[in-house]
Amino acid sequence: MTATERGEQVLRAAVSAFAESGYAATKTDEIARRAGVSQPYVIRLFGTKQHLFRAALHRVCDRIEEIFRTQRADAEPDASPDEALAALASGYAAFLAERELLQVLLHGFAASADPQIGDEVRARFGAIYQLIRELTGAPEIEARRFLATGMLLTVMSAMRVAGPDAVPAAWATEIMEDLRKYGD
């Protein structure tokens, strides 16, 4: 296996471990075990646990951006901002099903008190907001509403009251009905 392939293997293991335990509680020993490599090799590849966590966050944000770009490319070229937002929303459901990525995103928000992680999270979140504006042409208020709705769905999916493995809850069903109205 090449160093690049091994690095990808370690990053996949890190995403899984960070999704499960978060930044603070995850040990590089555990990531190494999951990847089938030594802990010193993990450090040699990524430098520090913080760099590895930041790489995992980039994986998550890259995936969200990829989904949005793909959904927009598949939509009508002359779609209205509302139609373009609806196209992006339909793709975000795919992200919500990628449970590990969703959990790493939330752990990234939680770890934002660390200055370097926080700077990274804020920059990437801002870039996603700008991408939404760019891809849809939506006014600021609609782009913010779309982002807020996506964050609500992210949190509800993490709680498993929304998404593919949802456990029914009356309050969540009510919110989901309101969100469906927004999507129409």
Side-chain angles (χ1 to χ4, degrees):
M1 201 176 273
T2 68
T4 301
E5 292 167 334
R6 197 61 91 175
E8 177 59 30
Q9 180 181 2
V10 170
L11 185 54
R12 281 193 311 270
V15 165
S16 179
F18 287 133
E20 189 176 301
S21 304
Y23 174 66
T26 300
K27 306 293 182 219
T28 53
D29 289 347
E30 173 61 16
I31 294 167
R33 186 192 64 73
R34 289 178 187 220
V37 300
S38 69
Q39 188 270 351
Y41 190 72
V42 170
I43 298 305
R44 189 172 337 132
L45 287 173
F46 289 93
T48 65
K49 180 175 90 167
Q50 183 190 75
H51 288 138
L52 183 53
F53 186 71
R54 289 168 54 199
L57 283 170
H58 279 287
R59 171 65 50 92
V60 172
C61 294
D62 289 348
R63 178 70 179 126
I64 293 169
E65 290 176 4
E66 172 192 4
I67 288 169
F68 285 169
R69 288 180 196 284
T70 300
Q71 289 302 118
R72 184 60 184 106
D74 290 346
E76 292 295 320
D78 58 346
S80 71
D82 285 343
E83 292 166 335
L85 286 169
L88 269 56
S90 67
Y92 196 69
F95 173 76
L96 296 177
E98 297 179 36
R99 179 151 299 284
E100 287 183 338
L101 296 181
L102 175 140
Q103 290 171 307
V104 170
L105 179 64
L106 293 173
H107 284 301
F109 296 147
S112 288
D114 177 299
Q116 290 182 328
I117 292 171
D119 287 348
E120 201 75 38
V121 169
R122 287 183 288 276
R124 289 306 300 260
F125 196 77
I128 289 169
Y129 170 73
Q130 291 301 324
L131 181 64
I132 292 165
R133 298 275 327 271
E134 174 189 315
L135 292 175
T136 65
E140 288 178 27
I141 189 85
E142 287 304 314
R144 285 194 310 263
R145 185 176 180 194
F146 177 83
L147 196 58
T149 302
M151 288 310 306
L152 177 59
L153 287 171
T154 299
V155 170
M156 290 175 69
S157 293
M159 291 187 294
R160 295 194 172 162
V161 294
D165 55 354
V167 177
W171 65 268
T173 302
E174 183 178 306
I175 291 171
M176 292 303 295
E177 287 172 9
D178 286 345
L179 293 176
R180 278 188 206 94
K181 290 177 195 171
Y182 169 68
D184 292 340

